[in-house]
Amino acid sequence: MAEIRTVGVVGAGQMGSGIAHVSALAGFDVALYDVSLEQAKQGIAKIAANLDRQVAGEKITAADRDAALARLTAADGVGALADVDLLIEAATEKEEIKRRIFQQVCPILKPEAILATNTSSISITRLASSTGRAERFLGIHFMNPVPVMKLVELVRGIATDDGVFETSKAFVTKLGKTMTISEDFPGFIVNRILMPMINEAIYTLHEGVGSVESIDTSMKLGANHPMGPLTLADFIGLDTCLSIMQVLHDGLADSKYRPCPLLVKYVEAGWLGRKTGRGFYDYCGEMPVPTR
Ligand SMILES: NC(=O)c1ccc[n+]([C@@H]2O[C@H](COP(=O)([O-])OP(=O)(O)OC[C@H]3O[C@@H](n4cnc5c(N)ncnc54)[C@H](O)[C@@H]3O)[C@@H](O)[C@H]2O)c1
């Protein structure tokens, strides 16, 4: 079985920086790439702050933090990804963007490199077909926030090689995560179940059945969820929620997956949740305030 030593992460947003964080902490050398060097550096600054928080909470030592930071580099252009053993794409949840990234990076990667996507819902087999090396491609789907959440879903495309799958399993195990294996269907397991529930919570708000607070409190105290569905939607990012619902709707061709018009409106307004400071809650002050 091939061994992974270096990891390239494309996309330094919430997920890409989380994946880079846990990979560096587990001993892998990591190059983090985004649309600009500035964005990649911002991702590393966010990782440094999160590592500090882990040191303060006594989850890791200061030496672990320093060693992880020393393994992280902000990539200045795709050329910095040429030598990676594993490339994990964690850019915006849009198929054209992901396809363009693979077209850009595939020609410069080593032939034996493994290619993975962190997509929440897009077909692994279809994305793999845009790489020219479908047998070395798979889905490695992390949960948000990556350093905290224990699960990783592994998704095999129709052409994924067994050895590639086994090497990827060993990588996930080394990160200290628990994995489940999902077939390549829209939303895989977690989002096939979770996202229709979030979408239904947004319909419940849209139809005036309850306020933001009532809906979140109902599910927290009535269903024992650690976080209400609207808080969770803001946390995931409303653009990501909408993209996943669109993939479920298109891929499963059932009207029960129709994205709620209110979700569409929030995304059109640029109210994407925590990452933009406003979604179903406003995050400008000390405490989140419902926006409806
Ligand atoms: N947010 C979640 O809860 C969650 C959970 C699991 C998986 N995912 C998946 O992870 C991926 C990223 O989601 P996120 O929440 O981190 O989004 P995000 O908006 O926080 O980050 C996306 C990043 O991708 C970068 N990007 C866009 N185009 C790029 C390009 N051409 N080259 C390099 N970088 C580019 C953006 O600049 C941004 O920094 C998506 O596929 C999403 O579905 C998200």
Side-chain angles (χ1 to χ4, degrees), residues 134-151:
E135 66 292 346
R136 306 205 65 77
F137 193 95
L138 80 162
I140 305 184
H141 181 220
F142 291 83
M143 308 293 132
N144 185 18
V146 183
V148 177
M149 299 297 277
K150 294 190 181 73
L151 184 75

Side-chain angles (χ1 to χ4, degrees), residues 5 24 44 49 90 93 116 124 128 167 213-214 270:
R5 289 205 179 83
I44 291 189
E93 185 76 346
I124 302 303
T167 304
E213 261 172 338
S214 308

